[in-house]
């Protein structure tokens, strides 16, 4: 049975949890990895800098049409992660990233459910033509999940990801609006739990 999730506006408590989750090496590596200087990478904003921002700056970050950032909530588990969609409006495409920060919920279908909800939003609400992901080669679970969602391998970025003292390739996969299969119980159940 597919997991039920909702995408909601990000709260300050959500950002505090994201910051704590990213202190875990395994969580940080599954998200954007680390910058070359070692800090956990995060696109759209820096979680460690958001504690003291005023309301104007908060709105600037979380109501940015180029960076749609939403919290992932489960009715049973509460806040479990974050979706980030970096939109290039002139091209009609967006880079999708999904973080399930609660490791106890990994491989239980929450990543797949969040990806489906994000795709529904990207294609139906934002009207995008293409959604793509950039996945480190060592994250085989994410590559498998996106392949099962219908994403196609579009290319490889050579040695683009620093990880554990070495550099690794990352895989770019994409999905076009006309390839997208809307949410329905039959297609959701066919997706492996990630």
């Amino acid at each position: 049975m597919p997991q039920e999730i909702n995408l909601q506006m990000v709260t300050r408590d959500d950002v505090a949890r994201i910051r704590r989750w990213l202190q875990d090496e395994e969580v940080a590596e599954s998200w954007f990895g680390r910058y070359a200087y070692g800090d956990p990478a995060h696109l759209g904003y820096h979680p460690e800098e958001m504690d003291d921002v005023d309301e104007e700056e908060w709105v600037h970050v979380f109501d940015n049409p180029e960076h749609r950032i939403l919290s992932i909530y489960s009715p049973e588990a509460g806040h479990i992660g974050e979706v980030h969609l970096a939109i290039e409006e002139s091209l009609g495409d967006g880079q999708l990233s999904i973080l399930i920060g609660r490791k106890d919920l990994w491989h239980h279908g929450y990543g797949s459910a969040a990806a489906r909800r994000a795709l529904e939003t990207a294609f139906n609400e934002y009207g995008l033509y293409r959604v793509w992901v950039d996945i480190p080669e060592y994250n085989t679970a994410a590559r498998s999940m996106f392949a099962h969602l219908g994403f196609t391998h579009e290319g490889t970025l050579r040695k683009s990801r620093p990880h554990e003292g070495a550099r690794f390739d990352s895989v770019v996969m994409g999905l076009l609006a006309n390839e997208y299969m809307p949410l329905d119980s039959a297609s959701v159940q066919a997706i492996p739990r990630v």
Side-chain angles (χ1 to χ4, degrees):
M1 177 117 178
Q3 296 294 345
E4 183 181 337
I5 61 98
N6 296 304
L7 299 181
Q8 300 178 15
M9 297 301 295
V10 176
T11 69
R12 291 181 186 268
D13 287 340
D14 295 345
V15 172
R17 277 187 288 276
I18 292 289
R19 190 175 60 249
R20 281 194 309 273
W21 289 332
L22 289 177
Q23 291 172 356
D24 182 291
E25 188 68 27
E26 198 174 6
V27 173
E29 290 300 330
S30 75
W31 185 226
F32 290 111
R34 295 197 171 273
Y35 293 116
Y37 51 83
D39 289 352
H42 194 286
L43 300 182
Y45 72 97
H46 297 285
E48 67 281 357
E49 296 174 3
M50 296 305 292
D51 281 343
D52 300 321
V53 300
D54 61 22
E55 192 61 26
E56 183 179 344
E57 179 64 18
W58 184 270
V59 169
H60 174 74
V61 169
F62 292 105
D63 197 19
N64 182 340
E66 295 177 353
H67 290 276
R68 298 297 183 172
I69 303 167
L70 298 164
S71 289
I72 305 168
Y73 273 81
S74 157
E76 304 84 29
H79 179 228
I80 63 169
E82 187 173 277
V83 165
H84 179 255
L85 190 60
I87 296 175
E88 181 62 54
E89 188 175 356
S90 63
L91 298 175
D93 79 15
Q95 179 185 6
L96 175 63
S97 302
I98 296 170
L99 169 69
I100 302 299
R102 292 220 5 221
K103 289 180 7 180
D104 62 315
L105 298 179
W106 285 8
H107 308 292
H108 291 280
Y110 290 102
S112 297
R116 282 216 168 263
R117 186 68 62 211
L119 290 170
E120 181 180 84
T121 301
F123 292 128
N124 296 334
E125 187 175 327
Y126 302 147
L128 296 183
Y129 181 79
R130 174 177 169 266
V131 172
W132 61 282
V133 294
D134 173 1
I135 305 168
E137 66 180 324
Y138 52 81
N139 192 341
T140 56
R143 288 182 15 223
S144 176
M145 178 188 77
F146 283 109
H148 279 88
L149 286 167
F151 280 70
T152 300
H153 181 262
E154 295 181 340
T156 301
L157 302 174
R158 298 179 307 142
K159 306 301 180 203
S160 64
R161 294 290 183 109
H163 176 67
E164 297 180 347
R167 304 247 353 155
F168 291 84
D169 293 347
S170 63
V171 176
V172 174
M173 302 174 77
L175 182 70
L176 304 180
N178 64 354
E179 299 168 337
Y180 167 65
M181 291 179 27
L183 286 172
D184 65 40
S185 59
S187 61
V188 172
Q189 290 181 19
I191 297 171
R193 293 175 177 258
V194 173

